[in-house]
Amino acid sequence: MDHQTTETFDQNAREALTDEQLRAALRNLVTTFGERRKVAITTVDDWEGLRERARAIKDETLTHLDKYLEEFADNAERAGARVHWARDAREACAIVLKLLRERACEHIVKSKSMATEEIHLNAALEAEGLAPVETDLGEWIIQLAHETPSHIVVPAIHKSKKQIAELFAEKVGIEPTDDVAVLTSTARRVLRQCFAEADAGISGVNFGVAETGTFLILENEGNARLTTSMPKIHIAVMGIEKIIPRLVDLDVFLKLLPRSGTGQRLTSYQSLITGVKKSVDDEGPEEVHIVLMDNGRSRMLSHPVTRQSLACIRCGACLNACPVYQQIGGHAYGSVYPGPIGAVITPQLAGIKKAAQLPYASSLCGACREVCPVKIDIPELLLHLRAEIAEGTTVGTADQKGPVKRKLSEQMAFRLYAFLWSHPSLYNLGTRVARLMQRTVMRNGHIGRVSGFVSKLAPPLGAWTASRDMRAVAPRSFREKWRDGLSGRR
Amino acid sequence: MVELEDNKEVRRAMLSAIREHLAASMPFDAVHDEHHAEHKANPRISSAVADEQSASPTERFRNALEAVAGHCLMVNDERAAADLVLEILGKINARRIAVSDSLLVKRVMSHVKLDAEILVDASKSELFDCDAGITSAQWGAAETGTLVLEADAERHRLASLVPPVHIALIEADKIRQTLGEVLESLSEQGRDRLSRTVTFITGPSRTSDIELTLAIGVHGPGELFVIIIEGRDK
Ligand code: SF4
């Protein structure tokens, strides 16, 4: 399935807005996770202090990422893990495929991982005849439905339990039910068989600890624990930005991540895995492989504004808080990572050409910045990316970037505006002319879809009024009022 | 299949790309830092977050665990722990039980007289058939009701995970106030003595993946009993 469909963002968003079931699911998400988060962050003494500390740790790591990555890789290898380096998605998929092929692995279980979604690992493995099974309940649901995640924490949030029951009835032959407990135990029963047979497990990574070479997975269900302990071979795919320096730094992130994401004090399970088991009698896989993946990340290091993107711990709080995400859900973004964080990292990962609309899919209200546990200034990033789009510079690799075409009429309009703005007498004349002309399209001081009356402006202003109203030019300008004395006669 | 370049070469290339990009950012960093002074306000990065608490660790542990639907029971000694284990196993009508190889579990189980199969080294397929798993825990964190299990101390990974009921035994003096304290102890072990797997467990397995409705026991145990042994009469 091709994710890079951001060309159609406007169309997707419009369709999503008419999907009543989706909107109900999103309302549920916002109230449930939003409220739980609000309560959860009051259970630590100094939330602000924690956020700042987390950001400082991330900044320290990212500005010395080469050093910490080497430390992580060397320590993981000392403990018996094999570390593989992948510059891009193609290399990462090829490494995983080669490992599975060489060991003749046939039955593969996966636990939820956005990094493997990002590189479309399942599709790459399926193309070679392998059939990895997603074992996180939400991921399994969307895998059965041949869909993609619509949220980075709760991937099947867009599906109702009725749809899920119908899906299970069709795919695994249960009686339709609206009992969530029955649906859940169905997943347990069916997937246990997969775990019993599995010869390889694939997971993502939440944090990699440089001083010990440990990688950490957070979860609630237990499928990541099963994935990392039942099969003979484990492969963990991680972005290079997941590193933190020390084991004790986990304290800060374990306080922030669950509270921000699901409003929990802590998720049910954390697995800290350091290399491979010490003796054959120990439990766990015989081989542990770590795939360290760049895939567009390192170039985000080249500017402090874009570098922030790499501090993200994928908690999902900015999605839940975003008024745009709340209305349209994750699929409308057409990218693996939706919501505010998706709008900033997709153009950087996939190239601006493929995602030029995403940095505009935001009202810059700042709600994402407010909730972000690592204090990423997403509005600042959005503006930075918009500027790069406007200038046709620097985002993405050479073949991905290049000027994003803006409409000639839009460019002309801005030039005209700039010219008028810098010539006061012409500007004043312009407002007077506009006041006369707008009479034909104005209702109640607005231009647009007002009280059943749809007025259209000529391009490029028409694009503005296609989705929102425009304030008409005031009867008297501020300058005119000022000249006549502000409190003076009307 | 894609031809892969030598891993060492790719490592070198990736690290030098990182260095180049970081170098490119230096001129911007200076300007940017002035505008973002607050991020520099805390140059000493990280340590366990301070936490003062009046409640005893065991009380606090119990409250936190019960808040996430775990059961917490306190006893004075190992014999009393054995009685509780017997009671729980009886209630769930356990026929087959997986136990870890920890000494505490061994001692407590020696008092448990039960007509059931007790497997110390259950195979994977046997584990799927077990009604309960019994382990100990090397640490507890009171603030969250979290158990910390180290693979070097006991083979806990599957016994605490696969059966539908997990019973965990912990000595009261192993419970610290915060997870930060536990992380510090783990880190003091040093990278070579750190267990290859450390598992943190807070309550039973859960999911909210269907309409955000909470369901307990999706892949891991649906019930978690923690028995805290106070050892007051030791
Ligand atoms: S940008 Fe911040 S709020 Fe959004 S997912 Fe990342 S860490 Fe969470």
Side-chain angles (χ1 to χ4, degrees), chain A residues 152 257 260 309 311-319 340-341 344 368 371-376 378:
Chain A
I152 62 176
L257 177 51
S260 301
S309 328
C312 173
I313 54 173
R314 307 277 189 266
C315 72
C318 58
L319 279 62
I341 186 62
V344 297
C368 48
V371 296
C372 178
V374 283
K375 299 195 92 163
I376 299 176
I378 293 180

Side-chain angles (χ1 to χ4, degrees), chain B residues 98-192:
Chain B
V99 296
S100 83
D101 56 350
S102 107
L103 289 176
L104 177 60
V105 172
K106 206 172 278 174
R107 288 202 305 270
V108 169
M109 288 310 284
S110 71
H111 301 299
V112 176
K113 299 283 169 270
L114 180 72
D115 181 24
E117 203 181 342
I118 295 180
L119 305 167
V120 183
D121 259 314
S123 69
K124 282 180 197 172
S125 55
E126 286 170 331
L127 270 159
F128 282 115
D129 250 1
C130 285
D131 305 304
I134 304 176
T135 70
S136 65
Q138 284 62 58
W139 310 91
E143 60 173 342
T144 45
T146 302
L147 297 168
V148 177
L149 285 75
E150 297 175 281
D152 281 2
E154 60 178 315
R155 282 199 291 275
H156 69 270
R157 288 176 75 170
L158 296 173
S160 66
L161 175 63
V162 180
V165 175
H166 176 204
I167 303 171
L169 309 166
I170 183 167
E171 285 154 341
D173 59 6
K174 301 283 174 58
I175 300 179
R176 300 283 173 272
Q177 284 286 8
T178 66
L179 206 56
E181 287 168 62
V182 176
L183 284 164
E184 246 161 34
S185 304
L186 289 174
S187 134
E188 275 161 20
Q189 296 176 349
R191 64 181 175 193
D192 295 323

